[in-house]
Amino acid sequence: MLHHASARCAAGIPDRAGVGLKPEHYREILEQNPDVGYFEVHAENYMGAGGPPHAYLEVIRKRYPLSLHGVGLSIGAAGPLDRAHLSRLKALNERYEPGLFSEHLAWSTHESEFFNDLLPVPYTQETLDIVCRHIDEVQTTLRRQMLLENPSVYVLFEESEIPETEFLALIAARTGCGLLLDVNNVEVSANNAGYDAAKYIDSFPVEHVGEIHLAGNAVAEGEGERLLIDAHGSPVEDSVWGLYRGALSRTGPVPTLIEWDNDVPSWPRLLGEAQKAEAELSRSARQRNRTPARATALA
Amino acid sequence: MSTLGEMQQAFARALSDPEAAIPAGLGGRRAAQAQRRFAIYRNNVTASLIDALQESFPVTAALVGEEFFRAMAREFVRCERPRSQVLLCYGDTFPDFIAAFEPAQALPYLADVARIEAAWIATYHAADAEPLGPAALAALGADAGAARVKLLPSVRLVVSQFPAGSIWLAHQAEHAGEAGEGPETVLVVRPAMEVTLRVMRGAEGVFATALYRGGSIEEAAAAALGADGSFDPGTALVSLLTQGAVLAFEMENDR
C-alpha cells in the first residue's frame, strides 16, 4: 500500500480548468497556443505504436500539463487486473509523465471479453476488498497515486450495503488513492437512483478530491421514468454548474476538466466551456482568500 | 466464484445476448423499468462499437448507405466482441467479415475497399520510421538485383481484383480523378505524419506485391516482366522510394 500526504500536492496540475484533448483540435491548439490550464487524454487512445496521436501529444505535453485518464482497466472486475494493459499504462505514464492519472470505479472486462462501457458494481464489503486490492496493484506498478472516479449508474444493486460516498471514502483511506469527483456523474446517478445530488456532494469526502470532471448529459424517457444518460455530447447543464459551485465551496479551487467526447464541438466552443469553469474557479479562490482575512479581523 | 464474479458473469451474458435474462437483484423496480435500464448498458456496449466502425470505415459506409452499414456492423459486433481494451484497430477483421456477409455480395469490391480503410488505420498507428530517399538507389551498386526491399513498418498492401483504390480515392474530398477499371494494387504508407495511398495497376502492382512478400528485386522484376514485357523495375523502385515506402535495402549476406 502507498501512503500519500494529500491528493493534491503531487499533482503538478494547476487548480485551473482543463480540456479533454480531441484529435479534431490538435492543429488549432498548436497554432493558437490557447490559455488552457491542462489537457487530459484517454490512455487507450494513445496505445498505438506511433503516428500522429503520439506526435501531437509529445508537442502538447511540452507546452501544457497533462492528465492521463484510463477507461479500460476494469478495476471493479472480480477477476484479476489485465497485466498487459497495466504494462501499457505504465509505459504511457513513463513516457508522458502526466501530473494526474485516473481510472473508474467500474468494470469493463469479463474473462477475455472487453465491454466498451463503464459497468456498475454493488457496494459491498467484498467489492471493497477487491477494488482496494486492484488499486494497490495499480499504484504499486505505476509507482504513483491514482485518482478513482465516481460512476454514472443506470441500475441499482439490491445487495449494495454501503452508500457510494462512504464506499469511496473507505477506498481512499485504505489505499491512499485520491478521488476524481465527476459532478455530471453525480447528477446522472442521483437522478437514476433517486437521491439528492446536492446532499451527495455535501457528504463527498472532499479531502481526497484531486480533480473534478464536468460534462453534458442526455435525457431518456420511457416506462414512466425520466433517466439521465452520461452522454458527453453536449454543454454542461446549468444544474451541473450549480452542483459544481457547491462542490467548489467545499473543496476550494481544484483542477477541473471539461469532457466533450461525442459530437465534438468547435475548438472555440469547447474553450468557452473551459472559461466558464475557470470563472467559477476564480470565484472560489477569491472566497477562499476572504475567509481567513475575516477570521483575523474577528480575532 | 465470488458473489461479485457471479453477478458479472450474469451481467456479461445478458450484455452479449439480448435474449438472455437480465441479472437478478437489480433494484425493486417494475420489471419493465429494470429491463429498460439494463438496455442502456446493452445499447452502450453495441452502439459505441458500431460508431467506432462507422468512423473507421467511412467510404465503406458511403458505398452502402448508413442504414445498411450499421446493420452489417451490428452483426459483426455480435460475432466478434473486442478482446482488447485498445480499440484503435478494432475492425481489422471487418473486411473479411464483409467478404463473407451474404447481403453485401451485390458489391463484390466492398470488402477490398474496407481492406484499404483497415490498412489506413493500421498505417496511421504504426511505428514511426525514417524512409530512404530516391538517392539510395545509386548506392545499391552492381548486385542490386539480389537485394531485398525492407519496407517501412507502416506499409500495407491491398491486392484487389477490382478498382478498389480508385473507388476509395473518388470518395476523398481533395480528389478529382477519373474512375479506374480492372484490378488494382494499393500501397498505403506513412513516411512522416500523413498517410498516403498509391494505386498501381498491372506489372507495377505485381512488382510491389512480390517485394512486399519478401522477394528479391530480381525475383520481383521477373514476375513483373512476366505480366508486361516493357516493365522497368528501376522506375518502379524510384516510385517506391519517392513515396517514402522503403526503410532499407538488404543484401543476401546481411540477412
Side-chain angles (χ1 to χ4, degrees):
Chain A
M1 187 166 112
L2 296 183
H3 290 280
H4 301 271
S6 116
R8 306 286 298 284
C9 65
I13 304 269
D15 292 332
R16 291 192 54 194
V19 171
L21 182 62
K22 296 283 129 194
E24 290 87 334
H25 302 139
Y26 284 152
R27 281 168 196 258
E28 269 169 294
I29 291 164
L30 291 188
E31 283 163 17
Q32 298 170 12
N33 266 318
D35 182 25
V36 169
Y38 67 105
F39 284 100
E40 184 164 289
V41 295
H42 286 180
E44 286 72 9
N45 290 340
Y46 293 84
M47 289 182 173
H54 284 294
Y56 281 109
L57 189 58
E58 290 274 2
V59 181
I60 287 169
R61 175 67 187 96
K62 287 193 180 109
R63 298 187 192 175
Y64 294 93
L66 180 73
S67 168
L68 189 63
H69 188 52
V71 297
L73 190 56
S74 202
I75 281 174
L81 290 182
D82 179 339
R83 296 280 159 79
H85 196 63
L86 199 49
S87 297
R88 290 191 285 262
L89 286 171
K90 185 174 162 68
L92 271 182
N93 264 287
E94 284 167 359
R95 178 168 181 180
Y96 291 104
E97 300 183 327
L100 292 171
F101 170 69
S102 52
E103 251 287 354
H104 299 82
L105 177 57
W107 62 287
S108 53
T109 53
H110 181 71
E111 289 164 357
S112 63
E113 197 166 343
F114 172 64
F115 298 100
N116 190 32
D117 198 8
L118 297 162
L119 304 167
V121 289
Y123 300 138
T124 62
Q125 193 60 46
E126 182 199 28
T127 307
L128 182 68
D129 292 342
I130 289 169
V131 167
C132 286
R133 206 163 60 228
H134 287 164
I135 291 175
D136 280 343
E137 187 180 347
V138 173
Q139 295 188 133
T140 304
T141 306
L142 302 186
R143 293 193 194 141
R144 66 171 304 158
Q145 186 193 34
M146 63 161 281
L147 304 181
L148 187 69
E149 178 177 339
N150 59 297
S152 272
V153 300
Y154 309 110
V155 296
L156 303 173
F157 295 99
E158 285 164 4
E159 58 176 311
S160 279
E161 54 198 17
I162 309 171
E164 188 174 286
T165 49
E166 192 185 327
F167 195 77
L168 290 164
L170 287 167
I171 293 170
R174 264 174 62 175
T175 64
C177 79
L179 299 176
L180 194 178
L181 172 57
D182 187 312
V183 179
N184 182 58
N185 287 354
V186 173
E187 170 155 285
V188 167
S189 294
N191 175 84
N192 296 345
Y195 58 77
D196 185 319
K199 283 190 183 143
Y200 178 102
I201 300 269
D202 284 343
S203 62
F204 202 85
V206 287
E207 64 276 21
H208 298 294
V209 172
E211 190 188 13
I212 288 179
H213 273 182
L214 300 173
N217 59 53
V219 177
E221 307 215 34
E223 300 296 344
E225 285 193 303
R226 176 182 176 275
L227 297 177
L228 291 182
I229 312 286
D230 180 33
H232 292 201
S234 56
V236 178
E237 299 291 333
D238 286 344
S239 48
V240 172
W241 286 115
L243 291 171
Y244 176 51
R245 270 175 228 118
L248 282 182
S249 73
R250 296 196 62 220
T251 59
V254 57
T256 301
L257 187 85
I258 302 293
E259 293 185 291
W260 197 326
D261 301 312
N262 301 307
D263 296 325
V264 175
S266 71
W267 172 250
R269 183 133 193 249
L270 187 55
L271 186 60
E273 287 283 285
Q275 284 161 346
K276 281 177 79 173
E278 190 91 6
E280 298 294 346
L281 287 163
S282 300
R283 190 171 305 139
S284 165
R286 285 197 302 276
Q287 277 164 0
R288 187 132 291 217
N289 290 336
R290 264 202 311 275
T291 314
R294 193 167 53 217
T296 311
L298 286 171
Chain B
M1 191 189 279
S2 63
T3 315
L4 184 65
E6 281 168 20
M7 180 282 285
Q8 290 177 347
Q9 181 144 22
F11 211 108
R13 195 181 303 124
L15 281 176
S16 305
D17 178 5
E19 305 300 318
I22 67 169
L26 293 184
R29 290 163 186 283
R30 287 198 288 117
Q33 289 180 339
Q35 285 288 345
R36 177 168 167 269
R37 284 164 168 254
F38 193 83
I40 294 171
Y41 293 110
R42 274 188 177 133
N43 180 62
N44 282 353
V45 164
T46 303
S48 64
L49 295 175
I50 296 173
D51 290 348
L53 289 169
Q54 196 173 348
E55 207 168 298
S56 297
F57 295 87
V59 177
T60 308
L63 288 170
V64 296
E66 183 168 342
E67 196 183 333
F68 185 98
F69 182 87
R70 291 187 72 88
M72 181 165 72
R74 180 175 297 275
E75 202 52 30
F76 172 73
V77 166
R78 206 177 58 78
C79 299
E80 297 197 32
R81 314 288 319 181
R83 298 285 150 186
S84 168
Q85 303 87 335
V86 186
L87 292 176
L88 297 178
C89 291
Y90 178 65
D92 54 354
T93 56
F94 190 41
D96 292 340
F97 174 88
I98 293 174
F101 187 61
E102 199 54 42
Q105 298 307 305
L107 300 179
Y109 51 82
L110 191 66
D112 286 347
V113 174
R115 284 191 178 98
I116 294 172
E117 298 197 283
W120 198 100
I121 300 274
T123 297
Y124 185 82
H125 291 294
D128 301 320
E130 191 76 33
L132 290 179
L137 201 55
L140 258 184
D143 42 356
R148 284 168 212 279
V149 177
K150 194 168 163 56
L151 296 165
L152 252 60
S154 66
V155 168
R156 298 291 182 277
L157 202 73
V158 177
V159 180
S160 177
Q161 295 312 303
F162 306 96
S166 299
I167 294 169
W168 187 90
L169 282 172
H171 283 81
Q172 305 309 306
E174 69 273 21
H175 185 77
E178 75 282 21
E181 51 182 276
E184 290 178 348
T185 299
V186 180
L187 188 138
V188 188
V189 63
R190 184 173 51 75
M193 286 302 122
E194 292 286 332
V195 175
T196 63
L197 231 90
R198 183 176 163 76
V199 178
M200 297 171 286
R201 296 181 186 87
E204 195 189 2
V206 173
F207 182 67
T209 305
L211 292 179
Y212 185 74
R213 292 180 180 157
S216 68
I217 292 176
E218 221 160 45
E219 290 159 353
L225 281 162
D228 176 359
S230 66
F231 176 74
D232 175 9
T235 308
L237 269 179
V238 170
S239 293
L240 284 175
L241 286 159
T242 307
Q243 203 196 346
V246 181
L247 184 68
F249 291 109
E250 290 182 325
M251 300 311 292
E252 201 61 32
N253 51 12
D254 296 341
R255 284 156 62 90

